[in-house]
Amino acid sequence: MPELPEVETVGRALRPQLLGRSIRTISAHIESLRHPLTLQQDASLCGAPVAAVTRRAKYLTVALANGRGILLHLGMTGHFRIEPADSAHRKHDRLEFFLDNDQVWRFNDIRRFGIAKAVNVDAAGNPLEGLPALGPEPWDPAWGGAALHTWLSRRIAAIKPLIMDPRCVVGVGNIYASEALHRARISPTRPGKSLSRKACDRLVCEVRKTLEEAIEAGGTTISDFRGVDGSEGSFEQELLVYGRADAPCLSCEKGTILRSVQGGRATYSCAKCQR
DNA sequence: AGTTGAGCCTGTGTGC
DNA sequence: TGCACACAGGCTCAAC
Ligand SMILES: [Zn+2]
């Protein structure tokens, strides 16, 4: 379920639990997630203390003090739990990391779109390999209205799938793309190149604000997202359009929220206040 | 080079 | 109750 705010929330919950701990053993309950799993055979991941937990886009890295680390992606349905090592594992627990404090960190992923891979890390705990080509983080000073306007200038595709393209900016998934476009009063079907510089400024501003507020709220809980401690995010209450098909628009009170499909994904918008 | 659609998996909910 | 289909928060690849 996770977009950037959910991944950030999970990383923040994981960090204090894992820092200073080391892994005793790793066991895999399945051969592969998105890719074949091999990290359970990698002795370099065991014994070294966790030095950092970092996030880049929707990837988390658990970095060890020996320059190795675990690159993780939650896919659509991934989540983590940390619980006593003698507790029973659950259906769809795919990986178990047994820690040196008699706790176990479990990676549960129903649909197996997740990633868990051993990588080399730098001194700051960032992965040295394993990431695809990624655009800037939403808060990167190098990203902004000007950069977005330039990136869109030769693109005729609809703005909604474009703002979700991680080569443009990372972290904007299907929920927050609809939400940020609504807040910026931009129709999701407009060709990318048709956005004015001012519209790009508004969109950048609303992407940042929406993601910040969602992180503040601990993410959005839809169906199966839960924090590492089992808690739920509260941003669902703040959603203006996502999942509200046929309901009255909360922004203009004249329109009705329309559900459409773009690139095979649901889009929600108000035709009255988004142009 | 950019755009579109299919595919990867499993589960849930709906309608017939 | 059984069955078929649509849909779900992400990402990658092939074809046009
Ligand atoms: Zn409206």
Side-chain angles (χ1 to χ4, degrees), chain A residues 182 249-257 270-274:
Chain A
H182 177 75
C249 176
L250 298 169
S251 302
C252 70
E253 296 176 357
K254 291 177 193 166
T256 299
I257 304 304
C270 171
K272 285 269 195 286
C273 60
Q274 291 176 250

